[in-house]
Amino acid sequence: MDLAYLRAHPEHLPTFLTHQRIRETPVSGGNICAASRLTLDDGQSVFAKTWPSEAGRPLPEGFFATEAAGLRWLGEAGAVAVPEVLVALPDLLALEWVEPGEPSPEAAERFGRELAGLHRAGAPAFGAPWPGFIGALPADNTPHEGSWPQWFARTRLLPYLRRSVDGGALNGMDAALVEQVVARVDELGGDEPPARIHGDLWPGNVLWGSDDRAWLVDPAAHGGHRETDLSQLTLFGGPPYRERILAAYQETWPLADGWQARVPLHQLHLLLVHTAVFGAAYRDSATRSARDALSGVGRATVDG
């Protein structure tokens, strides 16, 4: 099997893997899926993801189809580097292999400009025409043509707050704090037309390639607020050369006044996802984000 054959017959990949006709090397691929590098007969490599049998939970319906749809949609903008989807089957996803490289100031500035171009490509509505996931959790992508703040509160804050409380990661006082954010979201959030966003753009989902470009991987793509991507990007220490990324973005498509104060609100979504999935280890980060959102305390380089 070479790359041309794979593109023409993607449905044959599982058979070749089952009969060990393709060299398969495990690689790091996050904490959800099993990932491997497949070496084809022509020497080309492919990145493959499968749902591990030892995960202890069933593969969510449409999980890989959603990721494939998001990657294709982001790629259609022609703005930022996104791996080509080669195979999208119910239990397997295979993508173009991106050779890892080292980040550079030039790549960071290019990424800032390209990310602005991606966002500017826009979306028909908030949400998306495919079911959503954030990590392995479902995300409500029902298209919404109204204002952003109420959509964000209903689909990106409250569901993960409930999961976090039900799982014991957050207590009643924590929930009341987040509910204050929800009650004031129209005032705190700022409204913009739907942007074409990655949706889970923490620094680990930016792959720095040997081609001196930043590639977007593992999206939760949908129509959203562009500040969500930029705010998530500054979580957990941020990416290399983050100030250059932000400066290049601002030069290309300046953000609305007061965007720094809104960073904690946008970060609160992903932090609530973390409390829902990983438990109380992220409680302090989530509650601090909620307090900062309410007080208007935000920075371009919030660590989370």
Side-chain angles (χ1 to χ4, degrees), residues 17-99:
L17 289 172
T18 300
H19 294 284
Q20 298 181 338
R21 297 280 303 277
I22 298 175
R23 190 171 72 195
E24 186 174 6
T25 307
V27 297
S28 59
N31 57 11
I32 297 175
C33 295
S36 58
R37 179 176 186 169
L38 308 182
T39 304
L40 306 180
D41 290 339
D42 59 359
Q44 298 264 23
S45 291
V46 171
F47 177 80
K49 299 170 69 171
T50 58
W51 190 263
S53 57
E54 65 274 13
R57 58 190 187 278
L59 170 64
E61 183 178 355
F63 182 77
F64 289 124
T66 289
E67 182 172 347
L71 286 167
R72 287 169 174 147
W73 186 63
L74 296 178
E76 286 169 4
V80 68
V82 179
E84 177 190 357
V85 176
L86 300 170
V87 179
L89 300 175
D91 56 356
L92 184 151
L93 183 68
L95 309 174
E96 171 187 4
W97 177 262
V98 178
E99 190 64 33

